[in-house]
Amino acid sequence: MELKQVILVRADLKMSKGKIAAQSAHASVECVMKAMKSKTKEKLVKEWRSEGMMKIVVKVSSEKELYKYMQEAKDQGMITSIITDAGHTFVAPGTVTCGCIGPVEIEEVDEITGELKIL
Amino acid sequence: MELKQVILVRADLKMSKGKIAAQSAHASVECVMKAMKSKTKEKLVKEWRSEGMMKIVVKVSSEKELYKYMQEAKDQGMITSIITDAGHTFVAPGTVTCGCIGPVEIEEVDEITGELKIL
């Protein structure tokens, strides 16, 4: 099985590189923490880690678009996280900045997010 | 206790925003996974998560500089991770791209990385 995490970042927010990195890390860790609560999903995390923790970061153009993909992934039973920023710096408080799907089988998630462009 | 993770990214590599985000997420998750292996450190992770998983992303100017800070953190018994990229895309295989320290008490880690600039 080949697994990956897909991190979806809102490109319309004009966040700095560092901000995007921090928000993406939030989303990725949140998915891992959620997964660790279920024995089946924990196995996925361990396997993904042993494979090198593949991650790809893609862009979405709005909050609405982000939710559309996240909902599809959720409906398929995938691990998901959505990050809302406290908004101390770049964005207004409560702004949804990014989301993460997985670890999940590459083929499965590509059916949902495969069309999105790499950030 | 107020905790944070500090992610140190090599600014000399000219990585794309997406690449930096993926590498930072690697580093952050790796620290979390390492921490989960120790009861004491696991507590730190849980507390940090309940506080909102504060993360800051700072820049270093070379591999040498990155190792200097990581070593100092390690010497203090902090959780650390260093990420080496498989190099399929932007950088040569085996390139060290970034590192992560923590979660750790803000004051403690600021003594080591407080002088570094935000990415």
Side-chain angles (χ1 to χ4, degrees):
Chain A
M1 188 150 54
E2 266 214 298
L3 303 158
K4 72 175 171 186
Q5 262 188 350
V6 181
I7 300 168
L8 297 86
V9 175
R10 279 182 65 188
D12 58 315
L13 292 178
K14 315 284 175 214
M15 294 182 280
S16 72
K17 284 185 283 191
K19 183 79 186 173
I20 291 172
Q23 298 290 311
S24 298
H26 274 320
S28 176
V29 170
E30 193 55 32
C31 268
V32 169
M33 301 292 277
K34 275 191 181 177
M36 300 299 263
K37 286 188 187 157
S38 132
K39 281 271 169 249
T40 336
K41 303 282 192 199
E42 195 189 353
K43 260 195 184 170
L44 279 185
V45 171
K46 284 188 177 158
E47 191 166 334
W48 168 68
R49 194 183 179 208
S50 75
E51 290 171 4
M53 300 204 293
M54 190 195 290
K55 288 183 190 73
I56 79 156
V57 182
V58 296
K59 51 185 170 183
V60 290
S61 61
S62 67
E63 182 176 335
K64 197 178 156 195
E65 204 194 345
L66 176 61
Y67 275 116
K68 181 179 89 78
Y69 290 102
M70 299 311 294
Q71 191 58 53
E72 274 186 60
K74 226 175 180 172
D75 290 346
Q76 303 277 332
M78 297 173 188
I79 312 158
T80 60
S81 68
I82 290 183
I83 300 303
T84 302
D85 192 61
H88 299 299
T89 45
F90 293 91
V91 297
T95 303
V96 173
T97 55
C98 66
C100 179
I101 305 169
V104 59
E105 258 193 273
I106 294 179
E107 280 177 26
E108 274 181 55
V109 70
D110 277 354
E111 277 179 32
I112 301 174
T113 61
E115 68 201 15
L116 291 170
K117 293 224 172 83
I118 296 283
L119 179 72
Chain B
M1 188 150 54
E2 265 214 299
L3 302 159
K4 72 175 170 184
Q5 261 188 349
V6 181
I7 300 168
L8 299 86
V9 175
R10 280 182 62 188
D12 59 316
L13 292 178
K14 315 282 176 212
M15 293 182 282
S16 71
K17 284 185 282 193
K19 183 80 187 174
I20 291 172
Q23 298 291 310
S24 298
H26 274 319
S28 175
V29 169
E30 192 56 32
C31 268
V32 169
M33 301 291 278
K34 275 190 181 178
M36 299 300 262
K37 287 187 188 159
S38 133
K39 282 271 169 246
T40 335
K41 303 282 192 195
E42 194 187 354
K43 259 194 183 169
L44 279 184
V45 171
K46 284 187 178 158
E47 190 167 337
W48 169 68
R49 194 182 178 207
S50 75
E51 289 172 6
M53 300 202 293
M54 189 195 291
K55 287 183 192 75
I56 78 155
V57 182
V58 296
K59 51 185 169 183
V60 290
S61 60
S62 66
E63 183 176 335
K64 198 178 155 194
E65 205 193 344
L66 175 62
Y67 275 115
K68 181 178 89 76
Y69 289 102
M70 299 311 293
Q71 191 59 51
E72 273 186 62
K74 227 175 180 173
D75 291 346
Q76 303 276 332
M78 297 172 187
I79 312 159
T80 60
S81 69
I82 290 183
I83 300 303
T84 302
D85 191 59
H88 298 300
T89 46
F90 292 91
V91 298
T95 303
V96 173
T97 56
C98 66
C100 179
I101 304 169
V104 61
E105 257 193 273
I106 293 179
E107 278 178 27
E108 273 181 56
V109 70
D110 277 353
E111 277 179 32
I112 300 174
T113 61
E115 68 200 15
L116 291 170
K117 293 223 171 86
I118 295 284
L119 181 71

